[in-house]
Amino acid sequence: MGVRIAMVAGEASSDLLASHLIQALKRHLPDAEFFGIGGPKMQAMGFKALWPAEKLSVHGYVDALKNYRELSGIRRSLLKQLLADPPSAFIGVDAPDFSLWLEKRLKHRGIPAIHFVSPSIWAWRRGRLKGIARSVSHMLCLFPFEPELYRAAGVPVSYVGHPLADVFPLHPDRAAAREMLQIPDDVPVFAFLPGSRQSEVRNLADTYIATAANLHERHPEARFLVPLTTRETRLLFEDALARHAHLNLPIRILFGHAVDAMTAADVVLVASGTATLEAALLKRPMVITYRIGKWSYRLMRRMAYLPWVGLPNVLAGREVVPELLQDAATPQALADALDTWLTDKEKAAELLQTFTDMHQTLRQDTASRAAAAILPYINGVSR
């Protein structure tokens, strides 16, 4: 019987990560069959999607509750198929709430269950470790500080690096990015990233615009780039701009092109999330900000294990870039922090070296390392 590997990936980023992993595994297992839940990039690598990845793409508790019955049905149906015809191994790519449930039951039946991308237990869900230990045969971690937590809980674990570090150049070409965006090389450029979700843009748009106005008074020649990923978030920001039309600010909204905007920028203002890691890999000074509901923020801070929310600070183990959250995120404070990066060249140079070291630590050829950790489980079953 040939090697059959079941996989689940739910987000676009997981689809990309899983497609690279399939490619790496095929170098060792050219005849292996890959199937389960996945997206178009996985399917381009020969993956057989029993359900499309977008079925798992839910955001927030309300969305998850609305789709719970359908998701639960898909999960139980997939489990039934896997138990009836066991694969050589199961790989859950992110989607922890969906995949860990499956992994626990598959592992109990002797099927190797590998989870690729650790949940953020280091931030505020460390209580999940015992459950994860019962669910997975092996955890693959993207960040170097994560394996220690799993080893302490008795979970077999491998550090495989972060795929973005493999993709992003070690020395970004700012001049080329500015040329592509038709921005002169001699003007200050700020990239403002208010987030990918509508709630994030709704909470931050007015603050970002007021911050731009403050900076524009100090640097009249400055340009402001605001990359947004969806039509809905773009409309929200455009509505906010219309409310402040009298300011006549040089703000340019981009549809996507977040990496180009950050590469072209001197300084980045970014909502907490993966974009903070992207800015670090692009070696850009940044200020991290976030604003959510008052009670949600209190709960998050009470449950937090670390004093930082931004990945650059978490990875460095110290505050290397400012975090201005909730009530601290005033336009004046944000503008002051951004302006410091623009004017303090020595501080910016130190940060450049910190981010370069961070990039090299995370650059591990993630797909190949992940495949190397998975192969012993597959070979052990298929012999």
Side-chain angles (χ1 to χ4, degrees):
M1 182 176 173
V3 173
R4 299 169 59 253
I5 301 174
M7 301 178 74
V8 167
E11 300 283 344
S13 58
S14 304
D15 179 35
L16 178 62
L17 195 61
S19 70
H20 291 165
L21 177 59
I22 291 170
Q23 186 177 35
L25 285 168
K26 279 190 169 184
R27 296 191 197 110
H28 303 274
L29 305 166
D31 298 322
E33 176 190 349
F34 296 86
F35 68 98
I37 301 175
K41 289 183 172 60
M42 296 167 70
Q43 292 173 53
M45 296 302 302
F47 181 85
K48 181 182 177 182
L50 305 178
W51 290 272
E54 55 261 29
K55 287 290 186 183
L56 272 60
S57 297
V58 297
H59 298 287
Y61 292 115
V62 174
D63 202 9
L65 286 171
K66 285 195 299 185
N67 292 276
Y68 176 77
R69 181 172 294 181
E70 182 183 17
L71 291 174
S72 180
I74 291 172
R75 192 167 59 180
R76 290 186 180 280
S77 179
L78 179 57
L79 176 65
K80 185 177 179 180
Q81 292 186 48
L82 297 179
L83 293 179
D85 188 9
S88 305
F90 174 87
I91 305 170
V93 185
D94 214 353
D97 292 324
F98 187 95
S99 292
L100 287 170
W101 183 94
L102 280 169
E103 289 160 13
K104 181 179 180 179
R105 286 152 181 81
L106 295 172
K107 181 186 176 186
H108 182 69
R109 295 290 290 269
I111 299 168
I114 295 101
H115 195 83
F116 191 9
V117 183
S118 167
S120 299
I121 55 168
W122 42 268
W124 58 282
R125 301 182 78 176
R126 203 170 297 183
R128 297 183 70 178
L129 266 172
K130 290 182 180 178
I132 292 172
R134 291 191 293 268
S135 301
V136 306
S137 307
H138 204 100
M139 178 64 72
L140 304 177
C141 295
L142 304 188
F143 298 118
F145 56 82
E146 293 175 317
E148 181 182 346
L149 299 172
Y150 286 102
R151 291 191 191 102
V155 180
V157 62
S158 297
Y159 168 56
V160 298
H162 201 289
L164 285 178
D166 295 328
V167 175
F168 283 27
L170 201 57
H171 304 288
D173 192 339
R174 191 184 76 159
R178 289 200 175 198
E179 183 178 358
M180 190 271 289
L181 294 170
Q182 299 181 326
I183 299 172
D185 194 51
D186 59 349
V187 301
V189 176
F190 297 89
F192 280 14
L193 283 79
S196 59
R197 296 190 175 99
Q198 293 180 53
S199 59
E200 293 171 327
V201 176
R202 194 176 289 112
N203 287 335
L204 290 170
D206 289 312
T207 299
Y208 273 37
I209 293 167
T211 301
N214 192 307
L215 287 166
H216 187 53
E217 289 182 5
R218 310 181 196 195
H219 307 284
E221 73 283 14
R223 310 284 180 90
F224 300 88
L225 304 175
V226 183
L228 296 163
T229 56
T230 66
R231 180 175 179 272
E232 291 76 15
T233 53
R234 181 176 181 137
L235 287 173
L236 282 169
F237 203 91
E238 286 175 344
D239 287 345
L241 268 180
R243 293 194 297 271
H244 301 279
H246 62 284
L247 296 174
N248 195 28
L249 296 170
I251 292 178
R252 178 178 169 188
I253 297 177
L254 304 174
F255 194 67
H257 295 285
V259 171
D260 296 321
M262 287 190 282
T263 304
D266 294 289
V267 190
V268 176
L269 176 62
V270 58
S272 178
T274 303
T276 65
L277 179 62
E278 292 179 341
L281 293 173
L282 293 167
K283 321 302 182 301
R284 290 298 172 258
M286 76 187 83
V287 175
I288 297 170
T289 189
Y290 208 73
R291 183 174 286 144
I292 56 178
K294 179 175 64 174
W295 296 109
S296 295
Y297 180 74
R298 285 185 179 178
L299 179 63
M300 184 186 77
R301 297 307 295 178
R302 183 174 296 175
M303 295 176 68
Y305 288 100
L306 297 173
W308 316 286
V309 300
L311 282 168
N313 292 332
V314 173
L315 284 163
R318 58 191 176 91
E319 186 172 290
V320 294
V321 297
E323 295 186 1
L324 297 173
L325 312 176
Q326 291 298 102
D327 295 340
T330 66
Q332 178 70 42
L334 293 171
D336 287 345
L338 290 163
D339 200 24
T340 296
W341 285 125
L342 194 65
T343 57
D344 191 338
K345 303 301 182 186
E346 184 177 344
K347 185 178 179 183
E350 291 175 1
L351 186 69
L352 172 62
Q353 186 58 55
T354 297
F355 284 166
T356 300
D357 295 342
M358 192 178 291
H359 194 154
Q360 290 171 326
T361 299
L362 293 173
R363 179 177 273 189
Q364 298 287 329
D365 190 0
T366 296
S368 295
R369 287 178 69 99
I374 292 167
L375 283 170
Y377 292 92
I378 296 170
N379 293 337
V381 171
S382 60
R383 275 199 295 267

